[in-house]
Amino acid sequence: MTETPAPQVAPWPDKPLAVLVIGAGFSGLAMAIRCRQSGIDDLLVVEKAGAVGGTWHENTYPGAACDIPAHLYALSFAPKSDWTRTYAGQPEIAAYLRELVERFDLTKHVALSTAVTGAVWDGARALWRVETDRGPLEARVLVSGMGALHHPAVPAIPGLHTFLGPLFHTSAWDHGVALQGKRVGVIGTGASAIQVVPAIAPEVGRLVLFQRTPPWVVPRNDRPTGPRMRALFRRLPVARRALRGVQFWLREAQAALGFTRVSGLTRLAEAASRRHLRQQVADPALRAKLAPPYRLGCKRVLISDDYYPALTRPNVTLEAGAIRNLTPDGVTMMDGSHHPLDVLVLATGFDVTASLARVPVVGRDGLILARAWGERVAAHRGVALAGFPNFFMLLGPNTGLGHNSVVLMIEAQVEYVLACLAEMRARKLAAIEPTPEAQARYLAELEARLSGSIWQQGGCASWYQDAAGRNIALWPGTVVAYRRSLREPDWSEFVLTPA
Ligand SMILES: Cc1cc2nc3c(=O)[nH]c(=O)nc-3n(C[C@H](O)[C@H](O)[C@H](O)COP(=O)(O)OP(=O)(O)OC[C@H]3O[C@@H](n4cnc5c(N)ncnc54)[C@H](O)[C@@H]3O)c2cc1C
């Protein structure tokens, strides 16, 4: 009788690791793969969920899909030829990320169901002492891939918790709740809502969509990728690379031509979006409710071909008034009207700084990360932080994108971290961290570029901004410019501490 081999699990390290990565989404997996390819095997990725995938493990709501073409929303060093659509759905992306573990032999480097609860820099031993809910770990280098769109932003609506029916956030979809024939409320009209609403509208009894601000929506043009095309990409990788290149440069051109500012391109895109609305919504009253009162690009531009049509269905109501409170059986509006509901979905997005700020990370001389970020959430080149030696962030402050795939940013950052690790080895360094001066210089340049950006000048408030209205989420330029700024680390920007 052949014995079933025991599943391979990461052994718990009993000595300091070379590299500890927190989170197994795109960021953590990319870091782990490139570490191993660079000869760093003394590596562990800790992931609090029971599976890898991050965003794509968690967001299983109906209609969940990427809004960047799948070939571009994949790691350049781990391509996939057989995406079944232009914009892949969540199951396909989650499967892709799970497959990376096997494809790159990472199983023994990934500890699932392990949450990091704190990390303290031990200057005397030049290592990070990391607390997890499975026990302590030590590592010379700590890399955060904890994700920005991870902690739900729960709106402060009076009476939220008095609602007696099922209530859940899109990122924690309760698949046990049957929606057929039910009265369902969806709060929010961002990227998740515009995917959820068309997906559930045909099956629910009534759907009330609560809108605070209408989004700009442009055509999506999603298509299935047929077997012939997939076979072509498999046999002829150059064809897939060419398509990815076209998709990349089309988006880069948008940023280069002024997508990040109020420009001629803004006016053109606004005209295209208004045309899309006119073509899909005949009712002038509904159209008026759907007209955004700010410039296109100020908030995330949404792509959809079925959102507007869903809102014209007889069983769907767009409620554009202000919510007063929730009651046990529904939502009451400021004008006193009431929407009785059976189920309420919060499509209210995420608290972008919560992942890192919620974990106590203590750097040199007892500096607490949440306090270092008291003035402004910031990082040197979006990756490293003065006062926090041997600590790197992937998809850190101001490195998200409004126009292109963030996977490109993650890859650039991973290479930057690898360059730092190589320098540490070559010069036999105990520690590396950016100088406060270099970080302040970088931040000043960033702020100068952001101040004229569409996110600040476009007449809206968005989740890109902190409480003081500063954009802490997005990179104000092209991916090419960001890559260039990371390509050759300038060692004069760092404090290099010899072993
Ligand atoms: C619905 C949705 C659609 C999106 N679509 C696109 C798109 O089309 N194009 C695009 O460019 N971007 C998109 N994004 C942004 C997306 O988040 C990023 O593209 C990418 O998935 C981020 O990967 P990540 O690994 O940095 O973070 P995440 O995927 O968030 O992964 C972070 C991981 O860290 C783990 N973690 C967090 N804290 C701890 C802890 N204390 N201890 C241990 N583990 C921890 C989490 O469990 C999670 O697995 C989308 C986001 C959402 C929510």
Side-chain angles (χ1 to χ4, degrees), residues 87-109:
Y87 298 96
Q90 173 271 336
E92 208 173 355
I93 305 172
Y96 164 76
L97 290 167
R98 282 196 304 271
E99 280 156 21
L100 292 180
V101 174
E102 216 164 284
R103 185 164 159 191
F104 292 93
D105 197 15
L106 293 180
T107 312
K108 59 182 188 296
H109 296 280

Side-chain angles (χ1 to χ4, degrees), residues 79-145:
K80 175 175 157 75
S81 313
D82 55 354
W83 293 110
T84 59
R85 305 195 67 83
T86 313
Y87 298 96
Q90 173 271 336
E92 208 173 355
I93 305 172
Y96 164 76
L97 290 167
R98 282 196 304 271
E99 280 156 21
L100 292 180
V101 174
E102 216 164 284
R103 185 164 159 191
F104 292 93
D105 197 15
L106 293 180
T107 312
K108 59 182 188 296
H109 296 280
V110 180
L112 297 173
S113 307
T114 310
V116 169
T117 52
V120 179
W121 172 249
D122 182 338
R125 296 169 62 213
L127 50 74
W128 283 95
R129 286 189 275 115
V130 177
E131 287 303 323
T132 80
D133 58 2
R134 276 179 63 195
L137 289 168
E138 291 182 333
R140 301 259 163 239
V141 170
L142 185 60
V143 181
S144 164

Side-chain angles (χ1 to χ4, degrees), residues 310-326:
L311 301 185
T312 66
R313 294 176 59 94
N315 67 334
V316 175
T317 304
L318 177 69
E319 172 57 84
I323 295 176
R324 181 197 290 158
N325 64 302
L326 254 71

